[in-house]
Amino acid sequence: MKITQISVFLENKRGRLYRLCDLLGRNKINIHALNIAESEGFGVARIVVDRPKAAMKVLKDADLAANLTDIVAVEVEDRPGGLADILKVIYDNEVNVEYMYGFGEKFSDRAMMIFRFEDTDHATQVLMQHGIKIIQGDDIQDE
Amino acid sequence: MIWNEKMECMAPENLKNILSERLKNVAAYVYNHCPLYKSKFDAIGVNPGDVKTIDDITKLPFTTKIDMRDSYPFGLFSAPDKITEIHVSSGTTGNPTVVGYTKDDIKLWGESMARAFCCAGAEPRDRIQISYGYGLFTGGLGMHYGAMEMGLTIIPCSSGQTKRQLKLMQDFKPRILACTPSYALYMADEAREIGIDPRTSSWEIGVFGAEPWSEAMRTQIQETWNMRAGDVYGLSEIIGPGVAMDCQYQDGLHVWWDTFYPEIINPETGKPVKAGEPGELVITTLTKQGIPLIRYRTRDVVSINYETCRCGRTCPRISKIKGRTDDMIIVRGINVFPSQIEHVLLGIDGTQPHYQLIIDRPQGKMDEVEIQVEVDEKMFSDEMKHLRSLEEKIKKEISAVLSIGVKVTLVEPKTLARSEGKAKRVIDKRTL
């Protein structure tokens, strides 16, 4: 199972990110990873949570514009050059990355990176062929 | 001086015959030359022969902006084969408003503006800097024809390039400045920035219009530039600038009623209001040929004063515009309808997002337009480049339709004010 990321449209205004995190917190939804992409007047908060389905409902009820995206979480050896090794595979195989960010939690002694690829299935296949460990959705997410 | 003393100062009882004669002529002319007018007359069972005096004008049908839109481009023209010039301004949706001038209409326009310049205090051989935009907009060329008719020396600057305009003012020393009032204030700021004291400028007379402005703004311009700030009124449907102008007493704008006959009506009932009461200004062009309009509803709310002015002119004076009977707003001389924005947004993703139009006039700056658009789920993309290009696309298309630059801001859903479930489309923060 792939990992589902939720993207939320936020205005670039004070307290907007707090409101989002508070909303999820009050609904007992845990955030595994978070990344913000920002422009002049607005931003997109990308989050990986433990219960994406519940989170979408909460966000919708709160009148926030949100959508779901498939992402790939990859284990990275926690040593100098660990991430470079993975990126080399990606580069050599001409896999396109839309964006990437670090995972907030650690499940082993390895670090984790989140990738949004242009073609998720193809990217997953390439990574697995090269023996790179990918986190399964059910390891960290419920429905 | 008074440009056309005979017509501008004629005793109303004497003018009445001329007005009646002209109304009879124009009613017959449109009936015979413009099929649309024939059907409008026929629809309410009125014949041009029913017009005996100017007072019979109330029997005639109104003409509206909707008529102009529906007859796009030339359906309201009475002399489509004799047009020498076409101008375009924005319409409510889709089609712009198109007007055409015959050679005689251009002459009429020139005379109207010449009257206006004289009313403002201009003398033949004065130099005039025309800083209204030249082109499809009627502001620049209308002023130009009037200045030519009157024999002024024209510096046709058009709008923009402010520092260069200020240099030309210093070098050529024009006595008259014609532009929008907000541009006059904007230029003052620019002048100070490059070390020019606005109070030492050569301009003594301003001919300002094409956008709403208040008495407070007039005082500010007069003090800032040490000039007299005259108020000119016009709209492209009628002729462009030069329909009315105030004199040195600044107590209402004289309407050239021998050619642009004004009525003030209750916009709900269409009946005349009592003298002096505010209502919608309705104008009939008595002598135009290309696109004469019968009882055109300007949607501008004014009151009218028929007393003879201290300047000697008998033509009545309309007040400054007190408001609009529709949702049109004027920004930097350009007519803006919220429906135009709706139209663009609808075309972009097929949905109708909520939006709000915010108009502001920052201190010493030109009016700014911001369009806030609520991002709905359909428009929302996880990728910034898509959101940015959406923002850019909305900005580009709206700017193109309105012909002024706008700022577009994407906002969260349901954050724009709605009152009683109805969205408030326009927030005008300008202190006019």
Side-chain angles (χ1 to χ4, degrees):
Chain A
M1 193 181 102
K2 287 169 204 156
I3 296 180
T4 306
Q5 168 195 265
I6 299 177
S7 302
V8 187
F9 180 86
L10 292 178
E11 281 173 46
N12 210 343
K13 276 189 189 161
R14 267 172 71 103
R16 284 308 209 271
L17 187 58
Y18 164 71
R19 182 180 163 232
L20 171 67
C21 293
D22 181 52
L23 194 65
L24 295 172
R26 276 190 284 113
N27 286 280
K28 309 254 181 309
I29 291 162
N30 196 29
I31 301 173
H32 289 313
L34 174 114
N35 162 262
I36 308 260
E38 54 142 46
S39 184
E40 197 186 328
F42 61 87
V44 175
R46 297 166 181 145
I47 51 175
V48 177
V49 298
D50 56 353
R51 292 187 294 136
K53 216 170 171 181
M56 279 302 276
K57 187 178 178 325
V58 166
L59 297 173
K60 219 168 201 169
D61 289 347
D63 288 327
L64 285 162
N67 62 17
L68 298 171
T69 318
D70 285 338
I71 46 98
V72 180
V74 178
E75 277 199 0
V76 182
E77 283 189 51
D78 195 3
R79 59 164 173 81
L83 180 57
D85 289 348
I86 288 170
L87 290 172
K88 182 170 184 343
V89 170
I90 289 171
Y91 171 70
D92 288 345
N93 290 280
E94 294 179 14
V95 171
N96 286 331
V97 179
E98 296 284 355
Y99 53 81
M100 58 184 281
Y101 54 98
F103 208 87
E105 293 169 44
K106 241 177 153 183
F107 293 93
S108 61
D109 57 347
R110 296 184 162 198
M112 256 198 286
M113 288 299 294
I114 286 171
F115 286 88
R116 165 70 177 151
F117 294 109
E118 201 175 69
D119 182 343
T120 308
D121 291 337
H122 174 64
T124 310
Q125 215 179 345
V126 167
L127 291 169
M128 283 167 71
Q129 277 165 6
H130 289 80
I132 293 163
K133 185 157 187 229
I134 287 165
I135 310 296
Q136 293 303 304
D138 20 20
D139 291 346
I140 57 167
Q141 286 183 326
D142 296 330
E143 273 283 301
Chain B
M1 76 179 269
I2 293 174
W3 183 253
N4 188 336
E5 201 165 338
K6 184 179 164 226
M7 298 313 286
E8 293 176 61
C9 303
M10 188 182 290
E13 55 275 21
N14 297 337
L15 186 70
K16 196 170 172 183
N17 286 335
I18 297 175
L19 295 178
S20 299
E21 214 40 51
R22 287 181 175 179
L23 182 66
K24 269 192 262 183
N25 290 341
V26 75
Y29 177 75
V30 296
Y31 191 85
N32 294 324
H33 289 85
C34 175
L36 192 80
Y37 266 119
K38 183 177 184 307
S39 59
K40 275 173 94 68
F41 277 50
D42 291 346
I44 57 167
V46 62
N47 192 281
D50 299 336
V51 178
K52 309 276 187 245
T53 75
I54 188 71
D55 300 324
D56 293 325
I57 195 165
T58 53
K59 294 177 184 165
L60 301 179
F62 290 116
T63 310
T64 66
K65 191 119 182 151
I66 306 292
D67 292 325
M68 306 217 54
R69 185 192 67 189
D70 293 349
S71 63
Y72 178 86
F74 305 138
L76 265 173
F77 284 31
S78 286
D81 301 334
K82 290 185 187 152
I83 301 299
T84 57
E85 188 166 320
I86 285 173
H87 282 269
V88 175
S89 64
S90 43
T92 47
T93 44
N95 292 334
T97 299
V98 182
V99 288
Y101 302 75
T102 64
K103 218 169 168 183
D104 284 341
D105 291 338
I106 295 288
K107 213 174 149 32
L108 167 68
W109 199 5
E111 148 119 25
S112 309
M113 263 321 302
R115 289 188 193 183
F117 286 136
C118 284
C119 201
E123 297 289 336
R125 306 302 349 139
D126 276 347
R127 262 169 244 142
I128 181 170
Q129 185 160 353
I130 300 179
S131 308
Y132 284 102
Y134 278 63
L136 289 172
F137 174 53
T138 52
L141 283 166
M143 296 275 162
H144 193 93
Y145 296 138
M148 265 171 68
E149 174 71 17
M150 199 189 151
L152 302 176
T153 303
I154 302 169
I155 310 167
C157 287
S158 194
S159 49
Q161 298 203 49
T162 307
K163 287 192 172 69
R164 185 171 172 210
Q165 300 235 10
L166 290 164
K167 168 140 179 62
L168 296 182
M169 179 271 285
Q170 284 189 303
D171 295 348
F172 301 164
K173 301 192 170 37
R175 189 171 166 248
I176 308 163
L177 168 67
C179 64
T180 59
S182 53
Y183 191 58
L185 282 179
Y186 176 77
M187 278 204 284
D189 269 18
E190 289 276 304
R192 287 190 205 99
E193 219 166 82
I194 56 173
I196 300 173
D197 175 5
R199 291 195 61 80
T200 63
S201 86
S202 66
W203 296 320
E204 293 173 20
I205 294 167
V207 178
F208 301 127
E211 68 183 10
W213 56 311
S214 63
E215 280 306 320
M217 195 168 171
R218 163 144 49 197
T219 308
Q220 194 189 351
I221 294 174
Q222 297 194 143
E223 283 171 3
T224 303
W225 283 108
N226 191 24
M227 66 156 80
R228 192 162 84 212
D231 191 358
V232 66
Y233 174 79
L235 60 167
S236 62
E237 295 91 319
I238 298 305
I239 193 101
V243 173
M245 174 86 214
D246 63 4
C247 63
Q248 67 266 37
Y249 296 105
Q250 301 188 338
D251 187 18
L253 288 72
H254 291 281
V255 190
W256 318 129
W257 65 341
D258 56 307
T259 51
F260 311 122
Y261 186 77
E263 298 168 81
I264 312 291
I265 63 159
N266 177 328
E268 310 284 319
T269 64
K271 301 267 179 272
V273 297
K274 282 189 201 130
E277 275 182 14
E280 182 179 336
L281 176 63
V282 171
I283 299 176
T284 299
T285 63
L286 295 177
T287 57
K288 236 166 65 162
Q289 298 173 343
I291 175 170
L293 295 182
I294 303 293
R295 305 190 82 200
Y296 183 70
R297 297 190 58 162
T298 66
R299 299 284 173 193
D300 286 324
V301 176
V302 301
S303 57
I304 198 162
N305 177 357
Y306 288 98
E307 286 167 27
T308 298
C309 182
R310 281 173 285 169
C311 71
R313 291 179 180 85
T314 51
C315 38
R317 284 164 284 162
I318 53 168
S319 66
K320 257 189 188 301
I321 298 165
K322 298 173 197 280
R324 294 275 305 171
T325 62
D326 61 8
D327 55 3
M328 187 181 93
I329 21 192
I330 303 180
V331 181
R332 285 182 249 153
I334 304 291
N335 299 345
V336 175
F337 292 91
S339 51
Q340 292 175 296
I341 299 187
E342 258 155 56
H343 203 70
V344 169
L345 292 176
L346 192 67
I348 283 178
D349 69 345
T351 63
Q352 185 61 85
H354 279 281
Y355 69 92
Q356 208 159 51
L357 201 60
I358 296 162
I359 308 171
D360 203 359
R361 183 174 289 171
Q363 185 69 39
K365 294 261 167 55
M366 304 288 283
D367 289 354
E368 289 173 1
V369 181
E370 181 186 351
I371 292 143
Q372 297 192 340
V373 182
E374 280 184 5
V375 170
D376 60 23
E377 266 170 44
K378 212 178 150 199
M379 297 157 68
F380 176 54
S381 162
D382 160 59
E383 281 168 43
M384 292 300 275
K385 62 182 178 206
H386 291 150
L387 286 171
R388 274 199 218 103
S389 76
L390 175 73
E391 200 176 54
E392 199 48 42
K393 191 169 181 207
I394 296 175
K395 185 182 149 95
K396 237 180 167 161
E397 293 196 11
I398 292 181
S399 299
V401 167
L402 302 184
S403 47
I404 46 171
V406 299
K407 186 181 165 207
V408 169
T409 309
L410 300 179
V411 301
E412 290 170 22
K414 309 262 169 77
T415 50
L416 298 178
R418 291 160 172 81
S419 53
E420 291 159 17
K422 216 180 146 195
K424 193 167 162 40
R425 292 302 186 200
V426 179
I427 294 181
D428 198 337
K429 292 183 178 169
R430 292 176 293 188
T431 38
L432 298 171

